Amino acid sequence: MAVLPPDLDAANFARFLEELRGAVGADWVWSSEDDLGPYRDSFSPVWNQAEERHASAAVAPADVEQVQAIVRIAGRYKVPLFPISTGKNFGYGGPSPNVTGSVVLDLKRMNRVLEVDDKRHFALVEPGVSYFDLYRHIKDKGLKVMIDCPDPGWGSPIGNSLERGIGYTMPQFRDHFGASCGMEVVLPNGEVMRTGMGALPGSQSWQEYKYGFGPDPSGLFAQGNFGIVTKMGFRLMPLPEYYRTGLITVPRRRDFVKLVEHVNYLSDSSLIGEAVYGSPLAALMGDKAFYALATRQGGPSDAEMDAAASKAGLPSWQVDLQFFGPEAATRENWEYAKQRILADIPGAKAIDGDHFPLPATEEQLLNTTQPYKTGIRRYGALGVPSLGIWRIVSGNGHVGFFPVLPRSGEAVFEMQRAMCDGLREFPLAGRFFNATTAPLYWHSYAFQMVFAPSVKHDDPALNAEVHAAMKKAVAVAAEHGWGDYRAAPIYQDDVADTYSFNNHALRRFHEQLKDAIDPDGIVAPGRGGIWPRRFRK
Amino acid sequence: MISRRDLMKWGAVVPALVGGSARAMAAVPEGLDALVVDSRHAPGVIANPGGVRVLRFDGDVTQLWFETLDPLWRKPGFVLGGITGRDALFVLETLSWDRGRRVVSRKDMPGRSGRMDGPISWVIAPVHPSVKKG
Ligand SMILES: Cc1cc2nc3c(=O)[nH]c(=O)nc-3n(C[C@H](O)[C@H](O)[C@H](O)COP(=O)(O)OP(=O)(O)OC[C@H]3O[C@@H](n4cnc5c(N)ncnc54)[C@H](O)[C@@H]3O)c2cc1C
């Protein structure tokens, strides 16, 4: 399906492509339908529908100068560019743009690991560097740092962090944008800017002090469309000496409130890595009567859930805890966690898990030695990139809605109930929101839940249901003060619309900035729900 | 797991792939350099067809890709055939795009009792000038 950039005719598009070829070489510009296949979102719920967003071409520059040249050419022809780093944003739009006819600016050739310092604990990379690449570099050089990687490991520190993606180690590292430190950006006018200490010529602390002086605009480039990031620094965890796990279970539904408070304390005191919550009662969801109870309108009572738990001989909740550091510190921290929680919650139990020095062996990474059923995926937990997560993908993939909620047991109960009730018309939602749904503790200081229904290219009816459910989920959540943290281009306007305090003051501010910096929408118009004047009705 | 009968049917496909006579091979005249076999679908069969190197994995392609394919795909050449589940092909195909490669042949193979839920046989070859040989 050949498409043209907005407001450009075929003859001018041909001229534009010729100029791109002049800038980067003919081999690195693609516009045939076949060549653009990889730039479609194969996880899209609007696959082959009018709403699917298609690129008109793709271009892969080799260096910053070529990025600047492309931006200037695009500026002359008013062609929107859609920058991607490794382009693996599956579940959130893949490599496909917000605006049909955009040219994907594929930064995969800019793939140098520029620096990894294992004394000052940081990395500086280009956009095409994947987590696998960074891991390989660190391993090959024997550097004593650990990365924090998302699943699957084929994504990139820059692409993932610009989506505010997450990983699975200590709080200050698994918020990937939060762990970034210093960036270089090609602005919509083609100029190169550096943030923080990078703005000070001769500074040696670009990856150590992110603010520099004055306002720090780096936040504008995450989920935003104010520039093309060509270098970015990341704080890295010094390779911990030792790793330890332990499991806590609590018997009653309400015990979750106290459990969460204790785990918040442990996490905010930097004593634990990602805490993985779960409800052993989820195993009962195959039973029709229990399913009906757990998804009942208005939610089940605590007493009913407790009765079901005691009938099944299961605890209501559990949390997998992880400890990093010197061996003695991990032991003491686990002892402390046990004492603290068991002394406060009657009937709480603790089971010692695995413990071993790092780096882990292959067997330890496969997590076959944990003495209990665990929710921890070891590769991610220990910063080893993997593609193994692919086993959870069914159909042609899924779309993701991850509402943010407060870190409290009450908030968890409320989201279970409100989302389950609000999405009742979509049978596929009950699996995601019910009285056994546990929160995800991916972000450092907030919980999320997950709604990620699968799609199938050859089942438009299913995809339409998923699409409608996604939109409804955004709306239901917003009614309760919960917002999505990240969304595919086809949902970004819906999500941005919910962040509407004071008559959309935030969006209006973003629009003012966009109009000033990029009025023609050369960089990813519509990304983050931010449209320049040219594209606003 | 697929039946013995299905495995026999594959037996006919693999030599066609490897021998270069099948229509599938038209786009890859240089023939295969290796064959990837997904052990979930082919336990213990297809040993060294036509002398071609066989790379096995069990559904998770991480190790295979990280240790073997990624370094090979960074260099010109290397035509890879495969008999894998759809999920593994999706992952390998997506990774191959980044290295100037494409799936140039793709064939559904019958699964259990003839249903089309079986593995896929495929060929990934270098197509971009930066990795094409010669
Ligand atoms: C099974 C499964 C599990 C997943 N698990 C996780 C997980 O654990 N954690 C997680 O965070 N995600 C997860 N994801 C989502 C996704 O795969 C990852 O977030 C992935 O890292 C994003 O792709 P990428 O790194 O290639 O980024 P890209 O696709 O390159 O970039 C993402 C977006 O950022 C913008 N962008 C990228 N580069 C630039 C640039 N240089 N300048 C300006 N803007 C840019 C673009 O808008 C682009 O669309 C998962 C997906 C699946 C299918």
Side-chain angles (χ1 to χ4, degrees), chain B residues 27 42 63 95 98 101 127 133:
Chain B
Q63 206 71 0
L95 287 162
D98 294 338
R101 286 147 207 282
V127 294
K133 249 188 174 162

Side-chain angles (χ1 to χ4, degrees), chain B residues 11-119:
Chain B
V13 174
V14 175
L17 271 173
V18 176
S21 61
R23 226 177 337 136
M25 295 301 291
V28 278
E30 58 271 63
L32 293 186
D33 291 303
L35 182 75
V36 166
V37 175
D38 186 339
S39 305
R40 292 174 303 172
H41 295 280
V45 288
I46 314 168
N48 207 17
V52 165
R53 180 177 171 195
V54 175
L55 305 165
R56 287 188 166 278
F57 73 103
D58 67 352
D60 176 359
V61 301
T62 307
Q63 206 71 0
L64 167 70
W65 177 76
F66 187 72
E67 303 293 345
T68 308
L69 297 181
D70 185 39
L72 284 167
W73 279 356
R74 286 168 188 269
K75 298 181 211 145
F78 198 72
V79 180
L80 184 68
I83 295 178
T84 67
R86 268 150 231 277
D87 48 355
L89 173 57
F90 177 83
V91 174
L92 288 173
E93 179 174 17
T94 304
L95 287 162
S96 78
W97 289 336
D98 294 338
R99 303 277 182 256
R101 286 147 207 282
R102 284 300 153 84
V103 173
V104 294
S105 153
R106 169 187 335 244
K107 224 189 232 164
D108 283 322
M109 316 208 45
R112 251 163 301 175
S113 41
R115 286 199 327 233
M116 291 311 284
D117 60 354

Side-chain angles (χ1 to χ4, degrees), chain A residues 233-255:
Chain A
F234 295 93
R235 303 297 312 159
L236 299 176
M237 173 147 72
L239 181 68
E241 289 169 24
Y242 210 79
Y243 173 74
R244 181 181 299 271
T245 59
L247 185 81
I248 306 268
T249 64
V250 294
R252 287 164 301 270
R253 179 167 173 78
R254 253 322 109 173
D255 292 337

Side-chain angles (χ1 to χ4, degrees), chain A residues 384-404:
Chain A
V384 181
S386 159
L387 298 163
I389 191 69
W390 218 259
R391 67 180 176 276
I392 71 159
V393 176
S394 58
N396 289 105
H398 54 253
V399 274
F401 168 67
F402 291 79
V404 174

Side-chain angles (χ1 to χ4, degrees), chain A residues 123-137:
Chain A
L124 179 67
V125 296
E126 291 187 326
V129 171
S130 70
Y131 285 96
F132 278 115
D133 295 335
L134 184 55
Y135 175 76
R136 196 191 288 284
H137 178 98

